[in-house]
Amino acid sequence: MTAVDIIRPGEPRYRQVQHVYSARGAPAAVARVRTPAEVPEALAFALDAPGPFAVRSGGHGISSIATNHGGTVIDLGQLNSVEYLGRRRVRLGPGARWGHVARQLAPLELAISSGDSGDVGVGGLSTTGGIGLLGRRHGLTIDHLVSAEIVTADGRYHRVSETENPELFWAVRGAGANFGIVTSFEFEAAAVPAVVHTNLAFAPGHLPDLLQRWGQVLEDAVREITAFLYLGQSFAQATVVFAGDSIEAASRALEPFTGLPGVAGGTSQRTSYATVPMTTGAPHTGQQTARTRTGLVTHIDTDMAVRVAEMLASGGTDMVHIRSVGGAINDRAPAATAYAHRHQNFSITAVSTGPREVFDAAWEPVHALMDGMYLSFETQHTPESVHEAFPAPTLQRLRKLKDRWDPHHVFTQNFDIAQRP
Ligand SMILES: Cc1cc2nc3c(=O)[nH]c(=O)nc-3n(C[C@H](O)[C@H](O)[C@H](O)COP(=O)(O)OP(=O)(O)OC[C@H]3O[C@@H](n4cnc5c(N)ncnc54)[C@H](O)[C@@H]3O)c2cc1C
């Protein structure tokens, strides 16, 4: 007998919890925890039950691993609190969504850079990195993490911070899912009274030219600027955020972007950061089942620009997202967190709903130029991808910690660091 709320097939509310954003599922049980104290019990229940188990916070992961067929899901969606602790400190539950977090912090003129989607959950993003639209000014989401509480494989709670279990704190910031279930996160938010939020549409005559110029303009931009470029078969558009409240300074910083080839229109407004992450609040029905491939790169040189344009033109991918990293993200040493990629300036992600072989063939020439990878944008969890996500010294350190904190390999669902090619 368990006190945890177990939802099983056949109950009317089961339909609301069986699927996630990127997959339809049919778990035998969903253990919906109501307080952090119930997490050890939910874990024991999942480990006793037959079949696989999954951990779910927002359920908005790109890979489809937060549900399953015939196993158990530990659902943390109700642990969605946002508590202001004073002095810019904020405690978040893993089930809170980033759009909600941004709206709660806006009246305090505070923000935590997260990502471009407000539907994404705190738990998944804060255990891997957090590449957001304030990134070049304020770093990754995990760079603002001050402490966390985690239930490890033995069912025990641990507080992690620079002074409490510091090695586990290091591992949580990039490879968290390999070490346990994080039940709360304490962040130091940044003072962000306002931002200047610009959307640009392009009708590029020659895509490689736009891509190369885009890369150069971004690398040269002041750190207040962070920008994401989205390319499809018939569109190219960008979101550019200036992390400051001076319209004049923003206009100066934006000039090189509005001067890019093929700019066909745009809007710009001074606004609260809370309006930046796109939030739909739509229920999860497995509505987005695309595959993704992703990698990081330092420069978008001619070769890379041509290969990305050819990949799109081949029809082997439906969309490409180019997110800026760099700036403050690269102020941290590679060994500071388990997310170790601290010299690259761009994250490039291809998205496909077509056949896998066609997608793989289209991606390979781009992949060949990649230098590392952010695991949250990747749907393929092979041993090779684990090596791309974690450089050798990071992986070695993570594996040692795995032996200590999860010797029986309970947490293997998300980029299992024990896998070897
Ligand atoms: C439309 C869209 C846009 C995105 N944009 C960005 C972006 O701009 N920047 C960015 O960085 N990311 C972005 N992401 C990726 C996103 O950050 C990750 O997919 C993240 O894992 C989603 O978090 P979640 O809590 O909703 O995940 P879930 O689907 O709930 O969980 C995914 C996996 O994360 C692990 N996990 C979740 N919660 C915990 C926990 N509490 N403790 C330990 N492990 C846990 C588990 O392995 C789980 O299966 C985007 C995703 C989507 C779908």
Side-chain angles (χ1 to χ4, degrees):
M1 276 297 282
T2 171
V4 176
D5 183 19
I6 306 292
I7 304 175
R8 295 190 187 273
E11 292 184 46
R13 57 197 185 134
Y14 178 76
R15 271 185 303 150
Q16 291 156 21
V17 294
Q18 68 181 112
H19 309 305
V20 289
Y21 177 67
S22 57
R24 293 178 72 77
V30 177
R32 194 157 62 164
V33 298
R34 288 163 292 211
T35 66
E38 288 183 348
V39 171
E41 201 182 340
L43 179 61
F45 173 83
L47 295 179
D48 272 352
F53 82 91
V55 176
R56 178 190 302 166
S57 285
H60 214 74
I62 283 177
S63 52
S64 49
I65 51 174
T67 189
N68 56 41
H69 286 80
T72 309
V73 172
I74 299 174
D75 187 326
L76 308 167
Q78 291 188 318
L79 306 184
N80 57 2
S81 56
V82 178
E83 293 168 73
Y84 184 56
L85 307 174
R87 291 176 299 114
R88 306 212 323 255
R89 294 289 174 97
V90 184
R91 189 185 298 128
L92 303 180
R97 310 293 189 90
W98 284 107
H100 176 63
V101 173
R103 288 192 299 278
Q104 295 297 111
L105 296 184
L108 303 165
E109 301 195 336
L110 297 175
I112 303 169
S113 184
S114 54
D116 55 10
S117 165
D119 293 326
V120 160
V122 166
L125 182 133
S126 309
T127 45
T128 55
I131 293 176
L133 280 154
L134 300 173
R136 289 182 76 247
R137 172 70 182 84
H138 293 294
L140 296 174
T141 308
I142 56 167
D143 296 339
H144 290 264
L145 190 63
V146 179
S147 68
E149 286 180 3
I150 182 168
V151 174
T152 47
D154 57 4
R156 292 173 62 192
Y157 263 97
H158 305 275
R159 211 179 131 78
V160 298
S161 68
E162 290 293 359
T163 53
E164 301 144 292
N165 299 301
E167 276 291 281
L168 193 51
F169 182 50
W170 169 83
V172 162
R173 289 173 293 164
N178 266 278
F179 291 90
I181 302 174
V182 180
T183 58
S184 88
F185 299 85
E186 190 177 322
F187 288 97
E188 184 168 304
V192 183
V195 299
V196 178
H197 181 191
T198 301
N199 288 307
L200 293 173
F202 297 91
H206 187 239
L207 187 55
D209 188 32
L210 170 64
L211 293 179
Q212 212 189 330
R213 297 271 302 278
W214 173 265
Q216 199 52 58
V217 161
L218 247 167
E219 284 191 48
D220 293 344
V222 293
R223 279 179 171 215
E224 279 75 11
I225 292 277
T226 303
F228 292 1
L229 180 65
Y230 307 93
L231 307 166
Q233 296 296 339
S234 58
F235 70 88
Q237 61 194 50
T239 301
V240 186
V241 172
F242 179 85
D245 56 2
S246 158
I247 297 272
E248 293 72 32
S251 303
R252 274 196 304 279
L254 283 164
E255 262 169 35
F257 290 88
T258 51
L260 282 166
V263 171
T267 58
S268 197
Q269 60 171 331
R270 184 179 182 279
T271 179
S272 156
Y273 170 75
T275 66
V276 172
M278 292 227 298
T279 307
T280 70
H284 289 150
T285 56
Q287 59 264 56
Q288 176 55 273
T289 53
R291 287 191 185 86
T292 60
R293 294 284 180 276
T294 191
L296 296 159
V297 69
T298 304
H299 308 295
I300 303 179
D301 59 15
T302 313
D303 196 9
M304 177 57 90
V306 167
R307 290 185 193 210
V308 170
E310 283 177 355
M311 171 173 68
L312 260 172
S314 75
T317 182
D318 305 330
M319 273 206 289
V320 175
H321 303 167
I322 303 184
R323 291 176 171 86
S324 52
V325 281
I329 292 172
N330 293 352
D331 288 346
R332 292 269 173 145
T337 59
Y339 176 99
H341 304 297
R342 301 292 186 162
H343 65 269
Q344 298 87 338
N345 289 307
F346 303 96
S347 152
I348 301 182
T349 304
V351 183
S352 168
T353 49
R356 177 192 291 270
E357 321 75 66
V358 177
F359 184 37
D360 285 347
W363 170 246
E364 199 40 49
V366 176
H367 181 210
L369 299 183
M370 288 300 180
D371 171 17
M373 182 248 271
Y374 171 48
L375 66 86
S376 267
F377 291 144
E378 178 62 62
T379 53
Q380 177 172 266
H381 294 202
T382 60
E384 290 75 18
S385 346
V386 169
H387 279 266
E388 290 173 29
F390 303 109
T394 309
L395 194 52
Q396 217 175 2
R397 190 167 159 190
L398 285 171
R399 283 179 175 159
K400 261 200 203 146
L401 286 169
K402 183 83 172 172
D403 289 345
R404 173 170 174 209
W405 292 101
D406 185 14
H408 304 298
H409 294 202
V410 166
F411 296 103
T412 57
Q413 301 81 5
N414 193 348
F415 275 73
D416 180 8
I417 54 170
Q419 289 182 82
R420 288 168 203 272

